[in-house]
Amino acid sequence: MSDIDTSPRTKVVLKTEPPRLYKVILLNDDYTPREFVTKVLMTVFRMSDAQAYRVMMTAHQLGACVVAAFTKDVAETKATEATDMGRSKGYPLMFSTEPEN
Ligand code: TYC
């Protein structure tokens, strides 16, 4: 047997951070019909009618409402899809994204 010590002297510590989440925010406007906003929330964010109505009314009354949080890609895709549904009908409906924390 050799006298050479071949045991590793460095310890590898694996650190994985959970992915940063991004909020999707619904912004109020004066033109998009309430029922249409509710329908978009149900379609894109899979909310119940009651949930979607509550989120829509919160944005209507306060100016904006957090819809949900997702990974960056998913948040941006959903915000674009929801904004485009309004644009396709000529409405200024707007969804934005921002990092959580
Ligand atoms: N304020 C709009 C109206 O009175 C309805 C509306 C609610 C639009 C929420 C956008 O994010 C919104 N018709």
Side-chain angles (χ1 to χ4, degrees), residues 26-34 37 56-57 59-60 93:
L26 168 64
L27 303 170
N28 187 37
D29 68 70
D30 292 338
Y31 302 101
T32 310
R34 293 181 188 191
V37 179
M56 179 280 293
M57 283 306 291
H60 177 71
L93 182 63

Side-chain angles (χ1 to χ4, degrees), residues 2-3 12 17 21 26 37 41 57 60 78 81 98:
S2 147
D3 292 332
V12 177
E17 301 287 332
L21 294 182
L26 168 64
V37 179
L41 290 168
M57 283 306 291
H60 177 71
K78 284 184 182 287
E81 190 185 344
E98 68 174 59

